[in-house]
Amino acid sequence: MEQAILEGVMQLLEDGVPLAELSIERIARTAGVGKATIYRRWSGKEELFVDVLRAAEPPDPELPGTSMRDDLIVILESLRQRGLVSRSSAILHNVYVQMKSSPRIWAAYHAGVVAPRRVLMLDVLRRGQRDGELRPDIDLDLANDMFVGAMLVRTVMRPDADLPEGLAEQIVDITLAGLRPVSSTVL
Amino acid sequence: MEQAILEGVMQLLEDGVPLAELSIERIARTAGVGKATIYRRWSGKEELFVDVLRAAEPPDPELPGTSMRDDLIVILESLRQRGLVSRSSAILHNVYVQMKSSPRIWAAYHAGVVAPRRVLMLDVLRRGQRDGELRPDIDLDLANDMFVGAMLVRTVMRPDADLPEGLAEQIVDITLAGLRPVSSTVL
């Protein structure tokens, strides 16, 4: 049932219906269910919509937990995968763009998807700092933005940029090692 | 004259007119000039609009040219300043959001404003690599994304994030030095 509803919304989006015109009524009609069925599961269009996106995006990865570096590479690789999907799927790309001009849907997506990912990332960094993989004096919030920043610039802001295999590992290792020439890394 | 037209557009935006409804005709009427006057200076609404944004944003900075590090800090500081302006100006913020859902205006802004900034940044990095301030084996495109990534995550993607004074310097120095604990920076 839930699956049919999510697919119904995806179908409407594929048919080119703008986000703003997707009403619960129309979704119910497309999925062949009553409005009450939808409202039993979701409190509103925003929440339903976040689940549609979640179903369309690659699932969040399992972290290996073997080291901070390994976990960070898996997280950045999943950002890269989402970037690739968003590039290959015109619908998904279009939905992201529309979502950003709808403050309520953006807020729901942020609370339901983006914020939990950030919490997970900060956990990984906290463990890494505890285990001596991360400078002890570094602010975790800033460390987070530095690890994910380069990948997000490429996936979100520069839709024409390369997303080659191995990019996640490269970004993590360069961020850990720094960009100074080796001869001057003495601090 | 040019100034009056740019201010006319800003006035319309302040009055809450959506970007999509800003026609050359309406802009001409607001500025008290003929449409031909506008078309003599700008080839279309997109190009005019990019100049409106350019006038509203803090001007691009002069680079000191004393070192790659100094230049990078000035560039990142100007990103921070633009982030602060976009936060304090509801109109400007609103315009950025609308712009992203208008592919033609976004393309014009990208070609006229974003792309030249990227070229400038790559020049700074190229000089730095030549002068031994940047690892010789690093891809400049990737280095660029790493320096600007963390700042852009904060200014563009996390509108609630702190943009404290000194952030530009902090990001540049950490990106140069890396996030590994000092004891393990031996490569």
Side-chain angles (χ1 to χ4, degrees):
Chain A
M1 180 66 82
E2 186 170 318
Q3 195 55 32
I5 295 166
L6 296 177
E7 279 167 13
V9 178
M10 219 46 202
Q11 188 57 54
L12 287 168
L13 294 171
E14 279 175 31
D15 294 346
V17 179
L19 215 47
E21 289 173 23
L22 277 184
S23 62
I24 292 284
E25 188 159 0
R26 187 156 181 185
I27 294 166
R29 215 178 328 125
T30 305
V33 301
K35 280 166 63 175
T37 307
I38 296 184
Y39 279 119
R40 259 197 300 278
R41 173 66 185 80
W42 293 281
S43 58
K45 176 175 142 176
E46 288 73 23
E47 287 68 29
L48 166 54
F49 199 72
V50 169
D51 278 349
V52 171
L53 269 178
R54 220 196 299 259
E57 290 180 346
D60 280 342
E62 288 281 326
L63 299 184
T66 38
S67 69
M68 178 188 79
R69 176 178 175 274
D70 293 347
D71 286 351
L72 289 175
I73 290 172
V74 168
I75 291 174
L76 262 69
E77 173 62 14
S78 81
L79 288 178
R80 188 180 78 94
Q81 291 296 339
R82 279 203 295 277
L84 290 172
V85 167
S86 153
R87 277 165 206 210
S88 63
S89 158
I91 310 154
L92 208 55
H93 177 76
N94 185 19
V95 167
Y96 285 124
V97 170
Q98 291 185 61
M99 189 167 66
K100 278 179 201 155
S101 51
S102 162
R104 290 188 56 189
I105 294 182
W106 180 247
Y109 180 74
H110 201 274
V113 179
V114 179
R117 279 184 194 145
R118 189 174 175 86
V119 169
L120 180 76
M121 178 78 182
L122 288 172
D123 277 349
V124 167
L125 294 172
R126 198 170 295 115
R127 279 200 303 274
Q129 204 167 41
R130 187 198 62 200
D131 299 345
E133 289 186 84
L134 192 67
R135 275 168 55 175
D137 61 326
I138 207 79
D139 174 67
L140 293 184
D141 238 19
L142 183 57
N144 170 77
D145 294 347
M146 295 187 57
F147 280 111
V148 300
M151 188 61 91
L152 288 176
V153 163
R154 295 215 164 187
T155 54
V156 180
M157 297 187 190
R158 299 179 53 211
D160 300 326
D162 254 8
L163 289 179
E165 228 176 297
L167 182 61
E169 189 167 349
Q170 209 181 357
I171 290 176
V172 169
D173 284 337
I174 294 173
T175 307
L176 282 171
L179 286 169
R180 233 176 241 161
V182 178
S183 60
S184 61
T185 47
V186 183
L187 297 177
Chain B
M1 179 64 80
E2 185 169 318
Q3 195 54 32
I5 295 167
L6 297 178
E7 279 168 13
V9 178
M10 219 46 202
Q11 189 57 54
L12 287 168
L13 293 171
E14 280 175 31
D15 294 346
V17 179
L19 215 47
E21 288 173 24
L22 277 184
S23 62
I24 292 284
E25 187 159 2
R26 187 155 180 186
I27 293 166
R29 215 180 325 128
T30 305
V33 301
K35 279 166 64 177
T37 308
I38 295 183
Y39 279 117
R40 259 197 298 279
R41 173 68 185 78
W42 293 281
S43 58
K45 178 174 139 176
E46 288 74 23
E47 287 68 29
L48 167 54
F49 199 72
V50 169
D51 279 348
V52 171
L53 268 178
R54 220 196 299 259
E57 289 181 347
D60 280 341
E62 287 280 328
L63 299 185
T66 37
S67 69
M68 179 189 78
R69 176 179 174 274
D70 293 347
D71 286 351
L72 289 175
I73 289 173
V74 168
I75 291 174
L76 262 68
E77 173 64 14
S78 81
L79 288 179
R80 188 180 78 94
Q81 292 295 339
R82 280 203 294 278
L84 289 171
V85 167
S86 153
R87 278 165 206 210
S88 63
S89 158
I91 310 154
L92 208 54
H93 177 76
N94 186 18
V95 167
Y96 285 123
V97 170
Q98 291 185 61
M99 189 167 65
K100 279 178 201 156
S101 51
S102 162
R104 290 188 56 188
I105 294 183
W106 179 246
Y109 179 75
H110 201 274
V113 179
V114 179
R117 280 183 194 146
R118 189 173 176 86
V119 169
L120 180 76
M121 179 78 182
L122 288 172
D123 277 348
V124 168
L125 294 172
R126 197 169 296 116
R127 279 200 304 274
Q129 203 166 42
R130 187 197 61 199
D131 298 345
E133 289 186 83
L134 192 67
R135 276 168 55 175
D137 62 327
I138 206 80
D139 174 67
L140 293 184
D141 237 18
L142 184 57
N144 170 77
D145 294 346
M146 295 187 57
F147 280 111
V148 300
M151 189 61 92
L152 288 176
V153 164
R154 294 214 164 189
T155 54
V156 179
M157 297 186 190
R158 299 179 53 211
D160 300 326
D162 253 10
L163 290 178
E165 228 176 296
L167 182 61
E169 189 166 349
Q170 211 181 356
I171 289 176
V172 169
D173 283 338
I174 294 173
T175 308
L176 283 172
L179 286 169
R180 235 176 238 161
V182 177
S183 59
S184 61
T185 47
V186 182
L187 297 177

